[in-house]
Amino acid sequence: MSLCDFLTFLDSSPSSFHAAANVTDHLHQKGFDRQRLDQAFSAAPGGHVLVSGGAVIAWWIPDAAKPPKALRLVGAHTDSPGFVVKPRPEFLREHFRQLAVEVYGGPIISSWFDRDLALAGRLVTADGATHLVHTGPIARIPHLAIHLYRSDDFSADRQRHLQPIIGLETGPDFVDALAQAAGVERAQCLPPAAFDLITVDAQPASRIGTQQELVASGRLDNLTSVWAGLDALGAAVDAGMGGEDVRVFAAFDHEEVGSQSPTGAGGPLLASVLTRITRALGADEEERAAILARSLNVSADAAHSVHPNYPDKHDPTHHPVLGGGPVTKINANQRYASTAQTVSRWRRHLLSAGVGGQDFVSNNAVPCGSTIGPITATGTGIPTVDVGVPLLSMHSARELCAWGDVAGLSRALTDFWCSE
């Protein structure tokens, strides 16, 4: 797929539920069969895909995989920071209609002010049907005018200052807007209806830079990895994957809040799916343990580019930059799961794909984040390497990456899945 495809994927994946649905729809077009959790797992060669809320797991079974020699797993996550709409969504204050929202994950709060915001997610209507919802720009969190506080120090109270305005007292209410976005009658949006909705920047993804080499968009953490994994899986299918290894692509929800949910990397979903895949292919418990020991997990999440205005925040000898290629993330305190063995294996795929790579190790005085890599490695025992596309403004309402890094990650993941 192309840069245009990537931008389209970003714009059409405003929530984790949309991202999971888009991955599923694309793989259906590639011939993947839908697998349900409440049905017996198929051992048929070819592609299978399972969607659970905002998470999606897909796998490819080659003809010779009975049972498989190993699993080649790529992990990512579909969710991004923002503001989740509370169950009682609307209130009136000073003649404005406002939304009651809860902070989700760790957004850069200041970046969300004075932006045109849409709402996206899922609506379960009163009849029990589930609808994906993506409104147009209907909300805004307005700054206080500088004349009224005259300070260079911006500090927002998370309860009082982050409730978006969605209109004037006399205008249509939240339920009307929700019904219109879902294409249903207003009555279907009233209790017992319920929803999972998050704010998203309404501005489309765009190319910037003197050579248009950069991509500015919301949700690059971690749709860069979701798209690269999806693109690589499609390319690997087209190339024809042989051997005895089952290829697995797992994109989880709720990474931004710790992954502890039924559809998060810390939940039971992945281990259950891997167990059922190997069992369907004839592996007993002893064989499954051996398969996991021979496997490799490439945990793909966003990485930090060095910031030109804050270079001291990085380690002096580990300075990943936009355009320098995918980043391998290493941490002695196990915030990342990379080891010498898994890093070496990943570097071989970078070389084979002709993709430049970079390393990230945190500045000792600056704590780093973590990701799904240590969680999946601990939960499954599969050797893991943490990688990702370098970003600027991570967790902003609008982040920045280099298109070449996203394409490079896709090529390296394709080699990982296609190599003998």
Side-chain angles (χ1 to χ4, degrees):
M1 291 188 282
S2 65
L3 171 57
C4 181
D5 295 318
F6 176 51
L7 298 178
T8 299
F9 180 78
L10 292 172
D11 291 339
S12 63
S13 302
S15 75
S16 60
F17 307 107
H18 287 82
N22 285 333
V23 169
T24 303
D25 291 345
H26 180 78
L27 293 179
H28 282 166
Q29 295 173 19
K30 283 286 185 181
F32 280 60
D33 295 328
R34 182 182 289 272
Q35 176 67 62
R36 291 173 49 132
L37 284 171
D38 61 356
Q39 296 177 347
F41 271 37
S42 171
H48 306 264
V49 59
L50 181 154
V51 63
S52 180
V56 57
I57 302 181
W59 58 97
W60 179 270
I61 300 176
D63 292 335
K66 290 188 177 181
K69 180 180 179 182
L71 305 173
R72 302 189 198 182
L73 174 67
V74 173
H77 70 86
T78 57
D79 63 318
S80 301
F83 304 95
V84 169
V85 182
K86 293 181 178 180
R88 296 183 179 181
E90 185 178 311
F91 61 95
L92 296 175
R93 185 163 59 180
E94 300 296 339
H95 303 289
F96 289 100
R97 293 188 182 275
Q98 292 188 265
L99 281 182
V101 296
E102 182 178 9
V103 179
Y104 179 84
I108 299 176
I109 296 295
S110 59
S111 71
W112 286 87
F113 278 75
D114 297 334
R115 290 186 180 273
D116 299 337
L117 303 178
L119 301 176
R122 64 182 175 183
L123 165 69
V124 179
T125 46
D127 59 5
T130 299
H131 306 261
L132 289 181
V133 176
H134 185 196
T135 72
I138 65 169
R140 184 180 176 93
I141 306 173
H143 259 300
L144 180 66
I146 196 170
H147 313 83
L148 302 181
Y149 67 98
R150 294 191 178 276
S151 172
D152 291 332
D153 297 325
F154 175 79
S155 179
D157 182 286
R158 290 189 168 213
Q159 179 61 37
R160 293 186 297 135
H161 299 152
L162 301 183
Q163 314 307 314
I165 289 171
I166 60 168
L168 301 178
E169 182 178 8
T170 55
D173 66 5
F174 170 81
V175 176
D176 287 333
L178 185 58
Q180 181 179 3
V184 299
E185 296 295 327
R186 175 186 171 90
Q188 287 294 321
C189 298
L190 299 174
F195 51 77
D196 296 304
L197 298 173
I198 193 168
T199 57
V200 292
D201 181 13
Q203 184 178 356
S206 62
R207 300 171 63 181
I208 68 169
T210 56
Q211 296 182 317
Q212 301 284 280
E213 72 274 33
L214 303 176
V215 174
S217 175
R219 307 175 304 285
L220 295 178
D221 176 11
N222 184 34
L223 293 184
T224 51
S225 297
V226 176
W227 185 87
L230 174 62
D231 185 51
L233 186 56
V237 168
D238 291 341
M241 294 179 285
E244 302 174 46
D245 294 351
V246 172
R247 283 70 166 186
V248 182
F249 177 42
F252 302 98
D253 204 349
H254 302 131
E255 189 275 344
E256 299 294 354
V257 291
S259 296
Q260 300 301 308
S261 76
T263 53
L269 184 61
L270 179 62
S272 174
V273 168
L274 297 184
T275 296
R276 295 176 71 177
I277 291 171
T278 53
R279 183 182 295 153
L281 293 171
D284 59 23
E285 185 175 349
E286 180 66 24
E287 288 172 317
R288 184 174 65 86
I291 290 168
L292 296 182
R294 291 190 292 262
S295 299
L296 179 63
N297 173 33
V298 179
S299 171
D301 198 351
H304 293 287
S305 167
V306 65
H307 196 302
N309 297 336
Y310 305 90
D312 56 307
K313 293 294 184 180
H314 277 254
D315 181 82
T317 58
H318 296 82
H319 265 209
V321 296
L322 297 188
V327 174
T328 304
K329 300 186 285 186
I330 301 165
N331 183 262
N333 296 301
Q334 300 301 297
R335 302 293 287 172
Y336 305 123
S338 306
T339 67
Q341 289 178 322
T342 60
V343 169
S344 178
R345 291 177 67 179
W346 174 243
R347 285 174 176 170
R348 289 198 290 272
H349 292 297
L350 290 171
L351 287 171
S352 177
V355 175
Q358 308 180 83
D359 295 328
F360 172 82
V361 181
S362 63
N363 183 316
N364 286 322
V366 180
C368 69
S370 188
T371 182
I372 61 173
I375 296 171
T376 52
T378 300
T380 65
I382 298 176
T384 297
V385 59
D386 273 300
V387 306
V389 170
L391 304 182
L392 283 175
S393 307
M394 189 187 295
H395 285 204
S396 172
R398 199 161 178 85
E399 300 162 323
L400 191 68
C401 74
W403 158 244
D405 296 332
V406 183
L409 179 60
S410 174
R411 293 198 303 274
L413 293 176
T414 302
D415 187 85
F416 169 63
W417 272 321
C418 285
S419 61
E420 293 298 328

